[in-house]
Amino acid sequence: MRFPTIILEGKKLPRMIFSLQPPTSHGDHEIYPLMKKIYEMGSWCFDLPSANHLDSFKELRYLTTDLMLIGLCHLDAEEGSSLLGKPLRRFESKIISTIRKDLLPPHLARSILPPSISPEVFTQKEIDRITFDPLRFEEALSRFDPEESPFLLIGEKYGVWLLALGRIDLLHEMVSKVREKGFIPIFSGQWATFVLPKAKPLHVAAYAVPINKKWSLFDLQRASDLIKKFDKPVISLNPLADGTLLNESVGAFSFLFDELKIYAAISKITSEGEANKIVEALMKFPSLIPPRKT
């Protein structure tokens, strides 16, 4: 099956993209066999959240000689952020403590942030000293090829945290560098109702956030209302709620594509059988045509 497509900045992207998550007991060795099976079903775009996914994708592209095959690589904003010359990840516990203490209500902080072992929080002066690290960022970007992965998901965990710390300026620099290297950036973050308003000024092609019929971080109704009014393309991460909506796929996709008018979805699958169920559900949407070009 060839999925319907959207056009983002002149490039085609299927409205359903598979993110392969083989059972942990099988390990990363199962990524390539599953990717090959899904490719043979007609899929020509894969989510590539890890180095192992990227290696499997490169092998598939080489063996099939299919130059139309593309991937979605991920780049966490941490790889372009430093404090006092040190990678920002070395201050992760302190960042969590700062966001937990100053920026989120306690009940939300407990549910969406990892635990922190640091009693310290950043001062505003320390937050202001976080800088863009072009050398580390370019080294990270060098792992990817815009011919193989024209779209790049940027932001991730640290992207959201930088937004929370008020440092969107660093994300502007990263997005600019991504475009300079020939990629089309898509901002990816985990808190839909926080990310969409805060990250809207970024010069990106789309926004990828978790949204499905069952849940959204913070408040589902609020997230749904925000997405309906949002005037930039939105991509659903985890549209089937970690597989719990797999047997209700038609309703899940109706909520996303018909009600929320999202542009595309990145769905986790663990097997060929799950992919077949999703394909069968999508075939019930003959009107699933691309929205306006951007």
Side-chain angles (χ1 to χ4, degrees):
M1 175 184 179
R2 285 281 175 174
F3 296 131
T5 60
I6 55 171
I7 305 293
L8 289 178
E9 299 189 5
K11 292 281 188 179
K12 285 185 178 181
L13 189 69
R15 300 196 72 185
M16 176 56 64
I17 301 157
F18 289 123
S19 184
L20 312 184
Q21 308 289 334
T24 53
S25 59
H26 294 182
D28 294 324
H29 298 295
E30 291 298 312
I31 293 176
Y32 176 78
L34 180 56
M35 187 177 289
K36 185 172 183 291
K37 290 177 182 177
I38 304 306
Y39 169 75
E40 290 169 349
M41 289 173 55
S43 181
W44 50 273
C45 178
F46 292 93
D47 182 41
L48 307 175
S50 73
N52 288 318
H53 285 83
L54 180 58
D55 289 343
S56 294
F57 169 79
K58 285 179 176 289
E59 183 178 358
L60 180 63
R61 204 168 191 261
Y62 173 76
L63 293 176
T64 61
T65 67
D66 186 351
L67 299 182
M68 299 301 292
L69 186 60
I70 64 171
L72 295 181
C73 292
H74 295 233
L75 186 58
D76 196 297
E78 190 282 330
E79 301 204 64
S81 307
S82 296
L83 176 60
L84 303 176
K86 300 177 182 178
L88 198 58
R89 65 176 177 273
R90 297 192 184 181
F91 304 90
E92 178 166 313
S93 189
K94 196 171 180 178
I95 294 172
I96 295 169
S97 293
T98 303
I99 297 174
R100 185 186 296 272
K101 179 177 183 294
D102 297 335
L103 302 172
L104 289 177
H107 69 286
L108 289 178
R110 285 194 299 269
S111 63
I112 65 177
L113 284 174
S116 171
I117 59 174
S118 174
E120 299 180 339
V121 298
F122 278 129
T123 64
Q124 188 58 51
K125 284 187 177 181
E126 288 175 313
I127 293 173
D128 293 343
R129 289 190 181 120
I130 300 173
T131 59
F132 175 55
D133 190 331
L135 293 180
R136 286 183 62 230
F137 195 69
E138 290 206 23
E139 182 180 355
L141 270 179
S142 69
R143 302 194 299 262
F144 312 128
D145 181 344
E147 292 297 320
E148 298 175 346
S149 179
F151 299 96
L152 184 66
L153 272 69
I154 182 171
E156 311 281 284
K157 179 174 71 175
Y158 275 85
V160 177
W161 290 357
L162 286 174
L163 286 175
L165 294 173
R167 295 305 309 273
I168 192 175
D169 57 303
L170 300 177
L171 297 173
H172 278 299
E173 291 192 70
M174 294 180 206
V175 168
S176 177
K177 184 62 67 174
V178 164
R179 287 192 175 279
E180 182 182 306
K181 295 297 183 180
F183 298 94
I184 299 172
I186 295 172
F187 188 80
S188 172
Q190 289 299 308
W191 311 343
T193 50
F194 177 81
V195 164
L196 294 180
K198 289 283 188 180
K200 190 175 181 180
L202 294 174
H203 182 33
V204 295
Y207 297 80
V209 293
I211 182 72
N212 57 59
K213 189 178 180 181
K214 196 169 185 178
W215 62 269
S216 172
L217 288 176
F218 294 130
D219 179 86
L220 177 58
Q221 187 59 52
R222 183 181 167 199
S224 299
D225 292 342
L226 178 60
I227 289 171
K228 289 176 184 178
K229 297 175 182 177
F230 201 66
D231 59 358
K232 293 187 176 183
V234 174
I235 295 171
S236 167
L237 300 177
N238 199 15
L240 297 179
D242 295 324
T244 61
L245 292 174
L246 183 62
N247 293 327
E248 306 169 41
S249 297
V250 174
F253 293 140
S254 177
F255 169 72
L256 294 172
F257 291 116
D258 293 338
E259 185 175 337
L260 299 190
K261 308 296 183 186
I262 66 157
Y263 276 56
I266 300 176
S267 184
K268 298 177 184 178
I269 59 168
T270 63
S271 67
E272 184 181 7
E274 290 184 2
N276 279 319
K277 283 189 176 183
I278 292 173
V279 169
E280 289 174 7
L282 290 174
M283 290 178 69
K284 299 182 185 298
F285 292 86
S287 61
L288 195 61
I289 59 175
R292 68 185 185 281
K293 295 182 180 181
T294 61

